[in-house]
Structure formats: C-alpha cells, structure tokens
Amino acid sequence: MINIKEILLRLKKEGFRSTTIRKSILDLFYKFKKPLSSQDIQKYLKQKNIKANKTTVYRELDFLKNQNIIEEFQLDDKIKRYEILSSHHHHTVCIKCREIKCIEFSKDLESQEKEIEKNNKFKIINHSLEFYGLCHACWRAGHKCQAVK
C-alpha cells in the first residue's frame, strides 16, 4: 500500500497543494484502515480541532477520488463510504453495530469468475461481494441474528 508521503509528493509534482485538511483526511484513512463516511471524517476532524465544513470535506473526497487515491462505494444502507484505493477486496458488515472490515480472498474467486464468464458467455468487468452477519463482539454479547431492515 502506498504511504501518505508518497501520495502528497505525487500530488505536489502534479501541481496540487498539500493542505491541512487533505493531509488529515489521508491520516484518518491510514489510521483507521477501514471505510469511512463523510460524516465519520467530519467527526474525526472536529475531534482534532480542524475546522472543515461539510462542503469542504465532500470537495476533498471528490478530489482524492478523481486523483485515484481513494475509492467510493455503498453498502445496503446506501451511505457513501471511502477508502484508500488498494487491491480488490471485499467487506464484512456487522448487522448490529455496523462495523465494516476489509477482507481479501485467495485466488479461488478469480477461478470462479473465469468459470462464470465461460459458462455464461459473459465478460465480467467488476463485482461486489459483502458478507453480513455479527462481528465477534456482538456475537459474543449474545445478540440474536435479525434480518437487516
């Protein structure tokens, strides 16, 4: 995974400034290593006493997305989340506390994709696969599994 210094250096070479908000947002992605919503980012910036209104945060997220530094995705709750662009991966989502974790598969999924393409005469461009259930903490706390509303 590329580090923050490399990202900021690349942006500087391309003529973009390294702002406090930009660096702080990148710091958050590297610190938490999980997908973050714009609301999450605003909350964390506020905790660090960094003033950034909603529009500024969205503008910065759009900039980072357009520079292929972060990617945007949505889960079943339709909240846009962002994470550092990295190798293709999937997520586990707790239906109780909404904790999201990134997971990677072995090469078996690639062979499944090839089989789907061959058997269905269908060229796969991308796919999305998330796993919904209970995280360890919620499962251990004895919560009963409920259907996602």
Side-chain angles (χ1 to χ4, degrees):
M1 180 186 285
I2 192 167
N3 66 41
I4 295 172
K5 286 182 182 181
E6 291 171 344
I7 291 171
L8 295 174
L9 183 61
R10 186 194 101 197
L11 292 175
K12 184 177 180 178
K13 284 181 181 177
E14 293 174 7
F16 299 108
R17 296 180 330 155
S18 176
T19 64
T20 301
I21 292 172
R22 182 169 296 155
K23 185 177 180 317
S24 298
I25 289 174
L26 289 170
D27 284 340
L28 291 174
F29 284 119
Y30 280 91
K31 177 182 178 184
F32 291 101
K33 293 180 178 54
K34 69 176 188 173
L36 300 170
S37 69
S38 63
Q39 294 83 3
D40 294 333
I41 293 167
Q42 290 172 51
K43 181 177 86 174
Y44 295 129
L45 291 175
K46 187 176 182 180
Q47 288 173 354
K48 292 177 74 174
N49 293 320
I50 297 171
K51 295 185 190 305
N53 65 35
K54 186 175 171 180
T55 304
T56 302
V57 171
Y58 276 112
R59 191 177 301 127
E60 191 58 39
L61 290 170
D62 280 341
F63 171 80
L64 293 171
K65 190 172 68 170
N66 290 333
Q67 295 300 314
N68 294 315
I69 295 168
I70 64 171
E71 61 184 333
E72 172 188 294
F73 68 95
Q74 293 181 28
L75 299 172
D76 64 333
D77 59 7
K78 306 296 184 222
I79 294 173
K80 288 182 181 180
R81 289 183 176 82
Y82 306 86
E83 61 187 348
I84 294 289
L85 193 59
S86 64
S87 61
H88 186 76
H89 62 274
H90 304 278
H91 302 97
T92 58
V93 182
C94 180
I95 62 173
K96 275 295 195 192
C97 71
R98 302 304 292 175
E99 176 72 24
I100 301 169
K101 291 190 177 177
C102 300
I103 58 169
E104 293 193 29
F105 277 97
S106 66
K107 300 290 181 194
D108 291 345
L109 191 57
E110 287 179 25
S111 62
Q112 288 288 82
E113 261 190 19
K114 288 176 183 168
E115 189 175 320
I116 290 168
E117 286 183 332
K118 180 182 171 189
N119 293 343
N120 296 286
K121 294 181 173 75
F122 182 82
K123 177 64 182 160
I124 296 173
I125 305 300
N126 198 359
H127 69 263
S128 174
L129 178 62
E130 276 67 47
F131 298 90
Y132 294 86
L134 296 171
C135 69
H136 184 71
C138 290
W139 179 61
R140 295 277 293 158
H143 291 292
K144 301 293 182 214
C145 185
Q146 299 176 8
V148 178
K149 295 176 178 128

Coordinates of all heavy atoms in Angstrom, one line a residue, residues 1-11 13-14 26-27 29-31 33 64 67-70 83-87:
M1 N 0.8 -1.2 0.0 CA 0.0 0.0 0.0 C 0.9 1.2 0.0 O 1.9 1.3 0.7 CB -0.9 0.0 1.2 CG -1.8 1.2 1.3 SD -2.8 1.3 2.9 CE -4.0 0.1 2.6
I2 N 0.6 2.2 -0.8 CA 1.3 3.4 -0.9 C 1.1 4.2 0.3 O 0.1 4.2 1.0 CB 0.9 4.2 -2.2 CG1 1.8 5.4 -2.5 CG2 -0.6 4.7 -2.1 CD1 1.6 6.0 -3.9
N3 N 2.1 5.0 0.8 CA 2.0 5.7 2.0 C 1.7 7.2 1.8 O 1.7 7.7 0.6 CB 3.3 5.6 2.9 CG 4.5 6.2 2.3 OD1 4.4 7.3 1.7 ND2 5.6 5.6 2.4
I4 N 1.3 7.9 2.8 CA 0.9 9.3 2.7 C 1.9 10.2 2.1 O 1.6 11.0 1.2 CB 0.4 9.8 4.1 CG1 -0.8 9.0 4.6 CG2 0.1 11.3 4.0 CD1 -1.1 9.4 6.1
K5 N 3.2 10.0 2.5 CA 4.2 10.9 2.0 C 4.3 10.7 0.4 O 4.5 11.7 -0.3 CB 5.6 10.5 2.6 CG 5.7 11.0 4.0 CD 7.0 10.7 4.6 CE 7.1 11.2 6.1 NZ 8.4 10.9 6.7
E6 N 4.2 9.5 0.0 CA 4.3 9.3 -1.5 C 3.1 9.9 -2.2 O 3.2 10.5 -3.3 CB 4.3 7.8 -1.8 CG 5.6 7.1 -1.4 CD 5.5 5.6 -1.4 OE1 4.4 5.0 -1.5 OE2 6.6 4.9 -1.4
I7 N 1.9 9.8 -1.6 CA 0.7 10.4 -2.2 C 0.9 12.0 -2.3 O 0.7 12.6 -3.3 CB -0.5 10.1 -1.4 CG1 -0.9 8.6 -1.5 CG2 -1.7 11.0 -1.8 CD1 -2.0 8.1 -0.6
L8 N 1.3 12.6 -1.2 CA 1.5 14.0 -1.1 C 2.6 14.5 -2.1 O 2.5 15.5 -2.7 CB 1.8 14.5 0.3 CG 0.6 14.3 1.3 CD1 1.0 14.6 2.7 CD2 -0.6 15.1 0.9
L9 N 3.6 13.7 -2.2 CA 4.7 14.0 -3.1 C 4.2 14.0 -4.6 O 4.5 14.8 -5.4 CB 5.9 13.1 -2.9 CG 7.1 13.3 -3.8 CD1 7.7 14.7 -3.5 CD2 8.2 12.3 -3.5
R10 N 3.5 12.9 -4.9 CA 2.9 12.8 -6.2 C 2.0 14.0 -6.6 O 2.1 14.6 -7.6 CB 2.1 11.5 -6.4 CG 1.6 11.3 -7.8 CD 0.6 10.2 -7.9 NE -0.7 10.9 -8.0 CZ -1.9 10.3 -7.8 NH1 -1.9 9.0 -7.4 NH2 -3.0 10.9 -7.9
L11 N 1.1 14.4 -5.6 CA 0.2 15.5 -5.8 C 1.0 16.8 -6.0 O 0.7 17.6 -6.9 CB -0.8 15.6 -4.7 CG -1.8 14.5 -4.5 CD1 -2.6 14.7 -3.3 CD2 -2.7 14.4 -5.8
K13 N 4.1 17.1 -7.2 CA 4.7 17.1 -8.5 C 3.7 17.4 -9.6 O 4.0 17.9 -10.7 CB 5.3 15.7 -8.8 CG 6.6 15.4 -8.1 CD 7.1 14.0 -8.4 CE 8.4 13.7 -7.7 NZ 8.9 12.4 -7.9
E14 N 2.4 17.1 -9.4 CA 1.3 17.4 -10.3 C 0.8 18.8 -10.1 O -0.2 19.2 -10.8 CB 0.2 16.3 -10.2 CG 0.7 15.0 -10.7 CD -0.3 13.9 -10.4 OE1 -1.5 14.2 -10.1 OE2 0.0 12.7 -10.6
L26 N -6.2 12.0 4.8 CA -5.4 10.8 4.5 C -4.9 10.1 5.7 O -4.9 8.9 5.8 CB -4.2 11.3 3.6 CG -4.6 11.7 2.2 CD1 -3.4 12.3 1.5 CD2 -5.1 10.5 1.4
D27 N -4.5 10.9 6.7 CA -4.1 10.3 8.0 C -5.2 9.5 8.6 O -5.0 8.4 9.1 CB -3.8 11.4 9.0 CG -2.4 12.1 8.8 OD1 -1.6 11.5 8.1 OD2 -2.2 13.2 9.3
F29 N -7.6 7.8 7.0 CA -7.7 6.5 6.3 C -6.6 5.6 6.7 O -6.9 4.4 6.8 CB -7.7 6.8 4.8 CG -8.9 7.3 4.2 CD1 -9.0 8.6 3.6 CD2 -10.1 6.6 4.3 CE1 -10.1 9.1 3.0 CE2 -11.3 7.1 3.7 CZ -11.3 8.4 3.1
Y30 N -5.4 6.1 6.9 CA -4.3 5.2 7.3 C -4.4 4.8 8.7 O -4.1 3.7 9.1 CB -3.0 5.8 7.0 CG -2.6 5.7 5.5 CD1 -3.0 6.6 4.6 CD2 -2.0 4.5 5.0 CE1 -2.7 6.5 3.2 CE2 -1.7 4.4 3.7 CZ -2.0 5.4 2.8 OH -1.7 5.2 1.5
K31 N -5.0 5.7 9.6 CA -5.1 5.3 11.0 C -6.1 4.3 11.2 O -5.9 3.3 11.9 CB -5.4 6.6 11.8 CG -5.6 6.4 13.3 CD -6.1 7.6 14.0 CE -6.3 7.3 15.4 NZ -6.8 8.5 16.1
K33 N -7.8 2.4 8.8 CA -7.7 1.2 7.9 C -9.1 0.6 7.7 O -9.2 -0.7 7.7 CB -6.7 0.2 8.4 CG -5.3 0.7 8.4 CD -4.3 -0.4 8.9 CE -2.9 0.0 8.8 NZ -2.5 1.2 9.5
L64 N -9.7 13.6 -4.1 CA -8.9 12.4 -3.8 C -9.4 11.2 -4.7 O -8.6 10.4 -5.2 CB -9.0 12.0 -2.3 CG -8.2 13.0 -1.4 CD1 -8.5 12.6 0.1 CD2 -6.8 13.0 -1.7
Q67 N -8.3 11.7 -8.2 CA -6.8 11.5 -8.3 C -6.5 10.0 -8.2 O -5.3 9.7 -8.1 CB -6.1 12.4 -7.3 CG -6.2 13.8 -7.5 CD -5.6 14.3 -8.9 OE1 -4.6 13.9 -9.3 NE2 -6.4 15.1 -9.6
N68 N -7.5 9.2 -8.1 CA -7.3 7.7 -7.9 C -6.5 7.4 -6.7 O -5.7 6.5 -6.7 CB -6.7 7.1 -9.1 CG -7.6 7.2 -10.3 OD1 -8.7 6.9 -10.2 ND2 -7.0 7.6 -11.5
I69 N -6.8 8.1 -5.6 CA -6.2 7.9 -4.3 C -7.2 7.1 -3.4 O -6.8 6.2 -2.6 CB -5.8 9.2 -3.6 CG1 -4.7 9.8 -4.5 CG2 -5.3 9.0 -2.2 CD1 -4.3 11.2 -4.2
I70 N -8.4 7.5 -3.5 CA -9.5 6.8 -2.7 C -10.5 6.3 -3.7 O -10.6 6.7 -4.8 CB -10.1 7.7 -1.6 CG1 -10.9 8.8 -2.2 CG2 -9.1 8.1 -0.6 CD1 -11.7 9.6 -1.3
E83 N -12.4 4.7 0.9 CA -11.2 4.0 1.5 C -10.1 4.2 0.5 O -10.3 4.5 -0.7 CB -11.5 2.5 1.8 CG -11.9 1.7 0.6 CD -12.3 0.3 0.9 OE1 -12.1 -0.1 2.1 OE2 -12.8 -0.4 0.1
I84 N -8.9 4.0 1.0 CA -7.7 4.1 0.1 C -7.8 3.1 -1.0 O -8.1 1.9 -0.7 CB -6.4 3.9 1.0 CG1 -6.2 5.1 2.0 CG2 -5.2 3.8 0.1 CD1 -5.9 6.4 1.4
L85 N -7.5 3.5 -2.2 CA -7.6 2.6 -3.3 C -6.4 1.6 -3.1 O -5.3 1.9 -2.9 CB -7.3 3.4 -4.6 CG -7.6 2.7 -5.9 CD1 -9.1 2.2 -6.0 CD2 -7.3 3.6 -7.1
S86 N -6.8 0.3 -3.2 CA -5.8 -0.8 -3.0 C -6.3 -1.9 -3.8 O -7.1 -1.8 -4.7 CB -5.8 -1.2 -1.5 OG -7.0 -1.7 -1.1
S87 N -5.7 -3.1 -3.6 CA -6.1 -4.3 -4.3 C -7.5 -4.6 -4.1 O -8.1 -4.2 -3.1 CB -5.2 -5.5 -3.9 OG -5.4 -5.7 -2.5

